[in-house]
Amino acid sequence: MKTLLIRRARVVDPVAGLDGVRDVLIEEGKISKVAARIQKPGVPTLDLDGLVVAPGFIDMHVHLREPGQEWKETIASGCAAAAAGGFVAVACMANTDPVNDCRAVTEMILAEAERHGAVRVLPVGALSKKMEGKELAEIGEMVAAGCVAVSDDGKSVMDGGLMRRALEYSTIFDLPVLVHEQDANLLGTGQMHEGAVSARLGLAGMPASAEEALIARDVLLAEDAGARLHVQHVSTARGLTMIRLAKRRKVKVTCEATPHHLALTDEALESFDANFKMNPPLRPEADRAALLRGAAEGAIDAVATDHAPHHADEKGLEFARAPFGVVGLETAVGVVLTKLHHEEGVPLPRIVELLSVGPARALRVAGGTLEVGAPADITVLDLDREWTVDPEKFKSKGRNTCFAGMPLKGAAAMTIVGGRVVHDAR
């Protein structure tokens, strides 16, 4: 739709310092005007009285599984899930089959997204060839093809020398390096967080220090290189403290937290339900509380889902054999609004920063604001809608959610990409 007029919405745009009732005019896929009253007779109009209009939400950590694992998710189904969840863009990780470690795979992903994607797809290329941690991938060619970042997400880069070269090389392109921080030598065969609950359940644990050790290493390497480091799914209080201290030293480090680490603790594993099995694992309450404070106060830059769809047969295996990972695109907004806004009192502009402004800045992509000339990417929120998570209603092929049956307050009511309504659940 080339022209669209939104009327009487509560517009929340932290970049513009705006939180008030406004009209928004969209022309040619961009924000044309934001004002108390806009007169534009004859154009299509949406009356969003009582709803919130925010800069479109960006999920900077998603696994779309295509190419190679289309029985779990496709680019089309993942994008449909993103639109239903209120996201206008997703950054898709490189652990496809084949791995997105070269120009051809990046171009295939973008072509498929152009044909079938309801939302914008931002490919993340692998840091190392085949994500084996031995040799740098063709980073320059992937950037030229459209990759917005590099990462071996799902695997840690254990070779510190390789990580150092990747960080140094990334500065040529001012490219963020996204890191999955776990020392594989410390993890062993861990299935959950190592602590009192794992001891009680008799499950092998993963020590928090496995995550913290690599955060410490990579923050130092990024500081030396002057590179931009983004720590994915930080889950421990000490890890977040190291990131906070690095920021004070002006290191170019950002970080994200997932909705499940903000909402749940390792006690959820008492059920032995593999839908609570994720990596990094759910942590004790002290870590969850630290993440909540970090999200509220600004130490955490973004909320990202780590959306990781698996087939029901895979998650139905006994706990030790079931794969790590949960889906999150269609529950993230509801969980964040419920836990952070309604329960913890985090102001709505801060919520918008976590889901829109922060990801856009960390990835250096367009969006994160409704200022004139910005892409008309918009997420519409119904703050008071009460609903219960039902995986059978997901657009995603993945039903492996840790929030099934959870009552939530707040939801994405509409998603607009480039001025086009791609999801409408008002």
Side-chain angles (χ1 to χ4, degrees), residues 286-308:
D287 290 302
R288 188 185 81 94
L291 296 181
L292 285 171
R293 287 195 298 275
E297 297 169 0
I300 291 172
D301 302 88
V303 168
T305 65
D306 192 9
H307 178 80

Side-chain angles (χ1 to χ4, degrees), residues 50-267:
L51 301 178
V52 172
V53 161
F57 293 169
I58 300 168
D59 191 340
M60 63 184 300
H61 192 163
V62 168
H63 301 269
L64 291 180
R65 304 300 193 200
E66 187 179 5
Q69 295 184 308
E70 288 82 356
W71 70 91
K72 295 185 177 185
E73 193 78 286
T74 64
I75 292 171
S77 65
C79 287
F87 291 100
V88 302
V90 294
C92 58
M93 297 299 116
N95 58 342
T96 49
D97 184 14
V99 169
N100 182 17
D101 61 359
C102 65
R103 184 179 194 123
V105 179
T106 302
E107 290 178 341
M108 174 268 158
I109 290 170
L110 286 171
E112 190 68 11
E114 179 69 22
R115 282 194 294 269
H116 301 298
V119 304
R120 302 183 195 276
V121 173
L122 309 169
V124 174
L127 183 150
S128 66
K129 291 183 178 179
K130 297 182 180 180
M131 295 176 60
E132 292 179 337
K134 298 177 180 177
E135 184 179 358
L136 285 183
E138 298 170 2
I139 294 174
E141 290 194 6
M142 290 190 292
V143 171
C147 280
V148 300
V150 291
S151 177
D152 275 2
D153 176 54
K155 292 184 177 179
S156 306
V157 179
M158 291 303 298
D159 184 334
L162 183 73
M163 177 58 79
R164 181 183 181 186
R165 288 194 296 278
L167 288 164
E168 291 173 343
Y169 192 54
S170 71
T171 62
I172 297 173
F173 310 98
D174 194 22
L175 191 72
V177 178
L178 319 182
V179 282
H180 177 114
E181 301 291 50
Q182 285 177 318
D183 187 319
N185 298 316
L186 292 172
L187 285 181
T189 58
Q191 299 291 310
M192 63 175 292
H193 171 77
E194 181 182 87
V197 179
S198 68
R200 187 163 64 247
L201 299 179
L203 291 172
M206 292 185 270
S209 55
E211 179 175 331
E212 295 151 355
L214 279 201
I215 290 176
R217 183 198 73 177
D218 291 342
V219 163
L220 293 173
L221 293 175
E223 185 172 19
D224 287 348
R228 293 200 291 122
L229 181 78
H230 177 82
V231 178
Q232 300 177 298
H233 42 47
V234 61
S235 69
T236 78
R238 287 194 303 184
L240 184 57
T241 295
M242 285 188 278
I243 293 168
R244 184 184 279 112
L245 292 173
K247 288 184 173 189
R248 290 175 185 169
R249 296 200 310 276
K250 306 300 182 186
V251 180
K252 298 175 186 176
V253 59
T254 55
C255 69
E256 68 189 36
T258 71
H260 44 272
H261 287 111
L262 291 165
L264 303 170
T265 70
D266 60 344
E267 293 187 354

